[in-house]
Amino acid sequence: MAALDFRLFSGNIVSEEQLDKLTQQDIKTDIEAIQFIAKSKWFTEEEMLQKISDRFHTPAIDVKVIDVKAIPANILKEKLSHKHNVLPVFLRGRTLFLATVNPAALGALEDFQFSTGFNVEYVVAEATKLQRAIELAYESEEAQLNLSDFDDDELTGVEVSAEEESEENAPPDKDDAPIVVYINKILLDAIKKGASDLHFEPYEKKYRIRFRVDGILKEVAAPPVSLTTRIAARLKVMSRLDIAEKRKPQDGRIKLKISSKKSIDFRVSTLPTLWGEKIVMRILDSSSAMLGIDVLGYEQDQKKLYLEALSKPQGMILVTGPTGSGKTVSLYTGLNILNTDERNISTAEDPVEINLEGINQVQISARAGLTFAEALRSFLRQDPDIVMVGEIRDLETAEIAIKAAQTGHLVLSTLHTNSAAETLTRLLNMGVPSFNIASSVSLIIAQRLARRLCSHCKKAVDVLPTEKELVDFGFTQAQLSGLTLYEPVGCDLCTNGYKGRVGIYEVMKISQDMASIIMKEGNSIDITKQAEKENIDSLRLSGIKKAISGMTSIGEVSRVTSY
């Protein structure tokens, strides 16, 4: 461009004083002039847009209102867009319109015309908005994850400990930085919200992330489906898993350092699905094992029975309930009470969820031949006082555990049954002789976790159910007098009217009468009737007491005790 043309162009945009500054620069073309003016910030982006539009007689457009996802894929030329800093915004007949901040640059017109076969014309747009639209159009991770909304202070000190990285799993490169920050943000949010589990779930047209908070799953994020592989890869790197293996389930752990004094462990499980790897993470907060028995929700008589059983030198304590009912916390609480210098305590777990100092914890590994039964045999050769078996899954494990309980050891373990009475019949069905059950089992705890009503917003129920409905539900006549029940409302401090959880327990001591029923191979119904005679609170009655005290609602009691 001739010098005179350049001065004429500049004169239409800048003042005489600004023009003098321009001519002092080594600027030879309109392109360089526009770039210099933009960097000098003599005008706002809106003013610059209008001046460029007027000078080049080119329409101005607000690309923020353009649905970049609706642009046909065959005209989105990513390399060309990034090369020229332009974006195809719409197609009208055989004419393709490109958004640009610099209509003096003709290279993009030529390249897009050659690549697409369409006639190409410019529209001008603000620089910042155009850059954002380009990022969205080509699914830039940084744009899709809205990292600009993150609080940097919140992420200070968040790092994966060195033991999580290995030579095979090298740290991600700089292109993965947005994914690293995003995953850290998700993990921090889960911890802050008190989540117990995180679910990363890929589908054909959607990717969702859900948290289990107070026992209920809720969707919290939906990143682009295109990030499925990269999110899975990052989580597997953190968990020290094989990134290349996508056809088999894998298990790992993450130790996330959230401050100089506190770390949170995550148990990670991957599962190949039709549309990618589903990853579930269980948050293992060691502080939950240190809560103490007083805050778990036991009634006074139930707590007394548990402590009495723990104080015995031998016998078996069984904790039962579905996955996520708090069995591990109950067992660890008991182990912490027993954990003194005078006792030798060994546990066999699959997996070891929380590390407890002073307790010998063994990770079960079926691949290596270390089963629950094999670990128990080894324990009995190591002078144990107390043994904890993560779960009794088969007859072999049950027989060894009962043998240990009969030979001077206190044994703690779990089963998956619906009630305390059904635990005894489950052992019978496994093939354990009835006399062995009657002579070894001293206490059974069945439990559930119910959501706790928010103390800030809960309100008394205006209209109570009828007397018949309450009695059918499980209320006694004595409980109906002056009855007040509460229901959830919802506020900024809770989730749908609930905040936290409280344990609901059925604590059944094996009395002589109950042992007699077991010896006669009575069924769960016979044992339940005997428990009622001995005034042992069922799960439903225990939940009703929590509802009467205002800790939870009747609806929540019904949800967790209906089986």
Side-chain angles (χ1 to χ4, degrees):
M1 178 178 288
L4 179 61
D5 291 337
F6 164 64
R7 288 183 61 83
L8 285 173
F9 153 69
S10 305
N12 287 338
I13 293 180
V14 299
S15 65
E16 286 295 325
E17 181 181 352
Q18 292 168 336
L19 181 58
D20 290 339
K21 291 182 179 180
L22 267 173
T23 54
Q24 294 172 13
Q25 308 298 318
D26 185 20
I27 293 174
K28 301 181 179 63
T29 67
D30 289 347
I31 297 173
E32 293 174 355
I34 292 175
Q35 291 172 343
F36 181 83
I37 294 169
K39 288 180 181 179
S40 300
K41 297 188 182 301
W42 291 338
F43 313 105
T44 66
E45 286 195 359
E46 293 85 351
E47 292 170 338
M48 189 70 177
L49 174 67
Q50 191 59 50
K51 288 178 179 291
I52 295 294
S53 175
D54 293 342
R55 170 62 185 86
F56 287 93
H57 306 290
T58 304
I61 188 173
D62 183 0
V63 293
K64 193 173 182 180
V65 303
I66 297 295
D67 183 5
V68 293
K69 294 302 181 184
I71 301 171
N74 64 320
I75 66 172
L76 283 173
K77 306 295 181 180
E78 183 173 3
K79 290 183 178 179
L80 293 180
S81 285
H82 285 300
K83 175 183 176 181
H84 299 290
N85 195 36
V86 298
L87 178 68
V89 287
F90 56 87
L91 189 63
R92 184 176 296 163
R94 295 293 301 171
T95 302
L96 173 64
F97 289 86
L98 293 183
T100 182
V101 295
N102 196 343
L106 303 179
L109 297 178
E110 297 170 355
D111 285 350
F112 269 89
Q113 184 168 343
F114 177 79
S115 179
T116 64
F118 294 116
N119 298 321
V120 185
E121 293 184 12
Y122 274 142
V123 291
V124 290
E126 295 174 33
T128 302
K129 289 183 179 179
L130 178 59
Q131 185 60 42
R132 173 70 170 169
I134 292 173
E135 290 173 344
L136 287 173
Y138 300 109
E139 295 187 343
S140 164
E141 285 81 2
E142 187 165 354
Q144 291 291 330
L145 301 179
N146 294 321
L147 297 186
S148 59
D149 297 334
F150 287 178
D151 182 357
D152 292 336
D153 293 336
E154 205 169 40
L155 298 173
T156 300
V158 179
E159 58 183 46
V160 181
S161 60
E163 64 189 54
E164 267 72 53
E165 305 292 358
S166 63
E167 293 181 2
E168 297 80 17
N169 293 331
D173 59 32
K174 63 181 181 180
D175 293 334
D176 286 327
I179 293 292
V180 173
V181 177
Y182 183 64
I183 293 298
N184 282 345
K185 175 69 173 175
I186 289 291
L187 299 186
L188 276 176
D189 284 348
I191 294 168
K192 288 182 178 181
K193 292 179 179 179
S196 60
D197 301 87
L198 297 80
H199 292 241
F200 296 81
E201 302 169 311
Y203 298 97
E204 181 180 10
K205 298 181 180 179
K206 181 180 180 180
Y207 191 101
R208 70 177 179 183
I209 300 174
R210 294 190 291 172
F211 293 168
R212 187 179 293 279
V213 179
D214 296 337
I216 305 296
L217 277 171
K218 183 178 181 181
E219 184 174 329
V220 296
V225 176
S226 60
L227 298 181
T228 296
T229 303
R230 300 186 72 179
I231 290 175
R234 175 56 186 165
L235 291 172
K236 289 166 76 173
V237 165
M238 296 173 73
S239 311
R240 301 182 67 186
L241 300 178
D242 184 356
I243 298 177
E245 180 55 76
K246 299 179 181 180
R247 297 171 297 174
K248 295 180 181 179
Q250 297 186 69
D251 295 304
R253 292 175 76 97
I254 294 174
K255 191 178 188 68
L256 192 68
K257 185 178 180 182
I258 61 176
S259 71
S260 58
K261 297 182 179 179
K262 186 173 179 63
S263 297
I264 299 291
D265 288 337
F266 294 80
R267 188 180 78 202
V268 182
S269 172
T270 72
L271 178 69
T273 68
L274 187 61
W275 304 109
E277 290 179 281
K278 173 176 179 177
I279 299 177
V280 176
M281 306 173 68
R282 166 71 56 92
I283 297 180
L284 309 173
D285 188 354
S286 58
S287 61
S288 64
M290 311 297 177
L291 292 175
I293 194 170
D294 292 324
V295 300
L296 296 185
Y298 286 95
E299 303 291 339
Q300 286 300 317
D301 56 336
Q302 294 175 336
K303 183 176 75 171
K304 181 180 178 183
L305 289 173
Y306 190 18
L307 293 175
E308 285 178 355
L310 289 171
S311 66
K312 293 181 179 180
Q314 64 185 52
M316 181 181 286
I317 299 173
L318 296 174
V319 182
T320 183
T323 301
S325 59
K327 299 188 299 294
T328 300
V329 173
S330 286
L331 285 177
Y332 281 179
T333 299
L335 289 177
N336 273 321
I337 294 172
L338 298 170
N339 189 12
T340 63
D341 291 339
E342 295 80 23
R343 295 187 177 100
N344 176 22
I345 304 176
S346 296
T347 73
E349 305 171 62
D350 185 21
V352 176
E353 294 192 357
I354 298 174
N355 298 325
L356 299 175
E357 187 174 350
I359 294 176
N360 308 293
Q361 296 173 275
V362 174
Q363 170 69 56
I364 296 303
S365 175
R367 184 178 300 177
L370 181 57
T371 62
F372 281 115
E374 191 61 36
L376 269 173
R377 289 192 186 95
S378 298
F379 290 167
L380 296 179
R381 294 192 292 267
Q382 295 223 330
D383 185 31
D385 295 303
I386 297 155
V387 170
M388 195 271 272
V389 186
E391 183 184 350
I392 295 178
R393 297 176 179 173
D394 51 50
L395 177 60
E396 184 181 19
T397 305
E399 287 179 335
I400 300 172
I402 285 174
K403 178 183 177 182
Q406 291 173 331
T407 55
H409 308 95
L410 180 62
V411 179
L412 290 78
S413 190
T414 71
L415 281 100
H416 285 88
T417 59
N418 288 325
S419 67
E422 290 179 27
T423 302
L424 297 170
T425 56
R426 172 72 186 281
L427 290 172
L428 285 171
N429 292 337
M430 278 186 183
V432 179
S434 57
F435 62 86
N436 278 342
I437 299 173
S439 63
S440 59
V441 180
S442 56
L443 188 77
I444 301 175
I445 301 173
Q447 66 180 75
R448 302 287 189 276
L449 288 177
R451 289 180 293 172
R452 189 188 292 266
L453 283 169
C454 175
S455 59
H456 294 90
C457 66
K458 69 179 180 181
K459 72 169 187 175
V461 175
D462 295 329
V463 181
L464 291 173
T466 65
E467 181 176 322
K468 183 180 184 304
E469 289 173 335
L470 291 171
V471 171
D472 290 344
F473 187 80
F475 283 80
T476 64
Q477 288 292 336
Q479 291 172 329
L480 299 181
S481 178
L483 178 65
T484 301
L485 298 176
Y486 296 86
E487 62 184 0
V489 177
C491 66
D492 294 337
L493 300 175
C494 65
T495 303
N496 299 326
Y498 295 98
K499 186 177 178 66
R501 289 193 285 181
V502 61
I504 294 177
Y505 303 93
E506 178 185 6
V507 181
M508 188 171 76
K509 179 182 178 181
I510 307 303
S511 63
Q512 290 185 353
D513 291 337
M514 209 166 286
S516 298
I517 295 174
I518 297 169
M519 290 287 288
K520 296 175 184 177
E521 296 191 0
N523 57 32
S524 60
I525 297 175
D526 299 327
I527 296 168
T528 299
K529 289 180 179 178
Q530 181 60 35
E532 291 175 356
K533 290 180 182 178
E534 297 179 14
N535 295 320
I536 295 173
D537 289 348
S538 65
L539 282 169
R540 175 59 63 86
L541 188 55
S542 180
I544 287 172
K545 289 183 176 180
K546 294 290 191 299
I548 293 173
S549 68
M551 288 186 185
T552 190
S553 67
I554 284 297
E556 187 65 7
V557 173
S558 177
R559 182 182 72 85
V560 300
T561 63
S562 294
Y563 55 88

